[in-house]
Amino acid sequence: MASTIFIQTPFQSKSLNKSLNTHFVPSFKLPVSLSFKPRTAAFSKRVHIRAGLIEPDGGKLVDLHVSEPERELKKREAASLPKVKLTPIDVQWVHVLSEGWASPLTGFMRESEFLQTLHFNSLRLDDGSFVNMSVPIVLAIDDLQKASIGESDRVALLDSDDKLIAILTDIEIYKHPKEERIARTWGTTAPGLPYVEETITNAGNWLIGGELEVIAPIKYNDGLDRFRLSPVELRKEFERRNADAVFAFQLRNPVHNGHALLMTDTRRRLLEMGYKNPILLLHPLGGYTKADDVPLSWRMKQHEKVLEDGVLDPETTVVSIFPSPMHYAGPTEVQWHAKARINAGANFYIVGRDPAGMGHPVEKRDLYDADHGKKVLSMAPGLERLNILPFRVAAYDKTQGKMAFFDPSRAQDFLFISGTKMRTLAKNKENPPAGFMCPGGWEVLVEYYASLTPSDNDRIPQPVAA
């Protein structure tokens, strides 16, 4: 059954438009506790029901892969070029860029693009229009690498095994303002930010931008490549299914029945709005995640069980892996997550509490306000074409023995099972209340936590591959 569900297979500087309209979908109500009131115009406008998928940013998808007949020529050219070694996360960004997730970007950012991203969360195109771009997609180099490049206008990009990944052409090298980058992306320079410690703190003091020529599609050979559909492949699949709406749900956690309730209810509402065949894009993040997140291989195994158990309808669900690394940059990063799904064909995006957030690395509190992500998405420049679907809060209804939408008039009947509580139950091989998660999915979670082995310092468990 799984095979029917899992598909195998330069900018100008600018000033922002000051008259931004919010773009929540009018027929979706915000949670009761949310005091934010979007502009009335956004709720009075009609959602246009039309056939065909939303256009990608810039009007067409970028494809940065070298054609197969040219590959050997490019490899010979690369042999004489200065070399830059890529980290695994750099390779993930090459993957993202090469397939068009960041369209219309055609390579690692040059300084003008970097500064627009940091200061405006958008990029101005040559025709005066702008697209959203909220996280820098950049490549850092150190002083020695910069010196070795010299006057060359091209460099070869190699992975950790010295395999040629791409050629970067028409390059520009500029200073890497680490503190400014961190402060503007995360809103803090507090120590302990996972992506910062992994990729920025010890990175070089220079950034190199340019046009990418990617030698071949990026493969990870981890048994999951068949789930890594590109935007082009996803669009073809949506068209094959005759989708007239695509609603995207990103997650980096196991799926429980509250998630499933939200997704099935979203489809019901879209049908009520007049769409004939809304398709769900269940899109787990597949790039870098922090050490205590459930690894991708285990999450995919759990998602498969959820679908096999019939929690979601395989005829109206496409499961694929989103290759981007995770920043945990809250309202800033969630704009990137939404923008990338436009390029994949989604015209609706489900957003919940504290999207892309995390606990403060120093203080005992959340790093971001839990409601700011959905508020920012409703106003973000360049995302006006995307309809934002705010979460309805789901919790375990003790009177019904299942997950249900929270009713504040009988709050005593509901049980909120936090991620911490869920992990504790799984680690202790205890079962959650019946109806919280399908049995097959819960068994995978228990199996994952049982597989953890203590690290050398006996503090951070090391996951075993699924």
Side-chain angles (χ1 to χ4, degrees):
M1 180 176 181
S3 63
T4 67
I5 302 163
F6 287 75
I7 313 302
Q8 299 189 23
T9 60
F11 298 98
Q12 301 169 354
S13 60
K14 63 179 288 296
S15 60
L16 293 182
N17 188 328
K18 295 181 180 179
S19 58
L20 295 177
N21 289 320
T22 57
H23 43 102
F24 280 127
V25 177
S27 65
F28 284 75
K29 295 183 182 298
L30 297 176
V32 173
S33 62
L34 185 59
S35 60
F36 174 62
K37 296 180 180 179
R39 298 176 187 175
T40 306
F43 279 84
S44 62
K45 73 178 184 180
R46 297 182 65 85
V47 175
H48 297 290
I49 310 300
R50 64 181 182 86
L53 300 176
I54 189 172
E55 285 191 352
D57 279 345
K60 67 176 183 179
L61 283 172
V62 167
D63 181 356
L64 305 182
H65 296 104
V66 172
S67 65
E68 198 161 353
E70 291 184 294
R71 287 178 188 172
E72 290 306 316
L73 173 62
K74 292 297 180 181
K75 289 178 181 179
R76 290 195 294 271
E77 290 178 4
S80 61
L81 296 177
K83 310 293 191 294
V84 171
K85 275 283 187 76
L86 301 177
T87 68
I89 293 177
D90 293 332
V91 173
Q92 291 171 9
W93 283 122
V94 172
H95 184 178
V96 166
L97 290 163
S98 68
E99 293 184 341
W101 294 101
S103 292
L105 270 184
T106 55
F108 285 108
M109 290 178 175
R110 297 184 175 89
E111 187 172 36
S112 64
E113 297 158 342
F114 174 70
L115 291 175
Q116 288 180 79
T117 298
L118 280 190
H119 292 271
F120 307 141
N121 282 0
S122 59
L123 297 172
R124 181 120 182 193
L125 307 184
D126 290 337
D127 64 1
S129 65
F130 56 85
V131 298
N132 190 274
M133 193 69 240
S134 62
V135 298
I137 303 181
V138 292
L139 179 60
I141 58 173
D142 59 26
D143 293 346
L144 288 176
Q145 290 172 312
K146 180 177 182 291
S148 71
I149 293 168
E151 298 300 315
S152 178
D153 65 351
R154 298 190 299 165
V155 296
L157 306 181
L158 311 180
D159 67 10
S160 57
D161 295 324
D162 290 329
K163 176 185 175 183
L164 177 66
I165 298 297
I167 297 174
L168 195 64
T169 69
D170 192 18
I171 64 172
E172 176 186 348
I173 298 175
Y174 54 101
K175 288 184 178 180
H176 186 183
K178 295 182 184 180
E179 184 177 20
E180 181 182 5
R181 177 184 174 188
I182 295 166
R184 287 197 168 271
T185 304
W186 283 270
T188 181
T189 56
L193 297 168
Y195 187 90
V196 170
E197 293 194 342
E198 188 74 24
T199 67
I200 301 178
T201 302
N202 297 317
N205 293 321
W206 304 93
L207 297 175
I208 180 170
E211 307 294 307
L212 270 175
E213 298 177 342
V214 181
I215 303 303
I218 302 297
K219 301 296 181 185
Y220 299 84
N221 301 313
D222 58 356
L224 300 175
D225 284 330
R226 68 191 186 277
F227 303 134
R228 293 184 173 95
L229 275 66
S230 69
V232 168
E233 291 169 326
L234 283 169
R235 285 172 172 268
K236 287 179 179 178
E237 179 60 22
F238 298 144
E239 289 172 353
R240 186 187 71 79
R241 298 190 186 209
N242 296 314
D244 59 352
V246 176
F247 57 109
F249 185 69
Q250 169 170 300
L251 65 169
R252 66 176 198 271
N253 294 305
V255 174
H256 57 64
N257 288 351
H259 297 135
L261 173 64
L262 172 67
M263 289 181 269
T264 54
D265 186 69
T266 297
R267 187 171 196 277
R268 177 187 64 79
R269 293 181 174 219
L270 289 173
L271 290 168
E272 289 178 354
M273 289 166 60
Y275 289 98
K276 302 300 182 185
N277 189 29
I279 297 295
L280 166 65
L281 172 59
L282 185 62
H283 216 196
L285 186 135
Y288 161 81
T289 55
K290 54 190 175 69
D292 60 350
D293 280 353
V294 176
L296 177 64
S297 60
W298 286 96
R299 284 186 278 129
M300 292 301 291
K301 187 175 179 180
Q302 194 266 352
H303 299 345
E304 187 172 3
K305 290 294 184 183
V306 167
L307 288 158
E308 285 180 356
D309 284 0
V311 177
L312 294 171
D313 183 357
E315 296 301 317
T316 59
T317 304
V318 173
V319 181
S320 182
I321 295 172
F322 179 43
S324 176
M326 188 76 192
H327 282 65
Y328 305 92
T332 297
E333 185 176 17
V334 74
Q335 296 174 66
W336 157 241
H337 293 164
K339 174 249 172 47
R341 277 31 181 255
I342 291 177
N343 287 332
N347 53 339
F348 292 86
Y349 186 77
I350 300 174
V351 59
R353 179 191 180 279
D354 197 19
M358 58 172 281
H360 195 284
V362 177
E363 303 172 16
K364 291 184 177 181
R365 61 177 177 87
D366 287 341
L367 183 54
Y368 306 106
D369 184 291
D371 291 329
H372 282 182
K374 62 171 70 76
K375 292 179 181 180
V376 167
L377 273 187
S378 75
M379 302 178 288
L383 294 182
E384 293 83 1
R385 297 182 299 136
L386 186 66
N387 299 290
I388 307 303
L389 309 179
F391 261 40
R392 296 179 66 193
V393 179
Y396 187 78
D397 187 339
K398 294 180 286 187
T399 66
Q400 299 185 57
K402 65 178 184 179
M403 298 297 287
F405 291 121
F406 178 67
D407 180 355
S409 69
R410 53 184 188 91
Q412 71 280 359
D413 294 334
F414 287 87
L415 176 64
F416 286 90
I417 302 175
S418 67
T420 300
K421 176 66 173 177
M422 183 177 71
R423 288 189 291 272
T424 300
L425 289 171
K427 288 175 183 177
N428 294 335
K429 299 183 179 181
E430 299 176 20
N431 290 322
F436 171 74
M437 184 183 291
C438 70
W442 184 254
E443 287 173 7
V444 171
L445 206 54
V446 170
E447 183 184 355
Y448 162 65
Y449 283 107
S451 77
L452 294 179
T453 59
S455 66
D456 292 339
N457 61 15
D458 288 326
R459 288 188 299 173
I460 302 175
Q462 300 300 306
V464 177

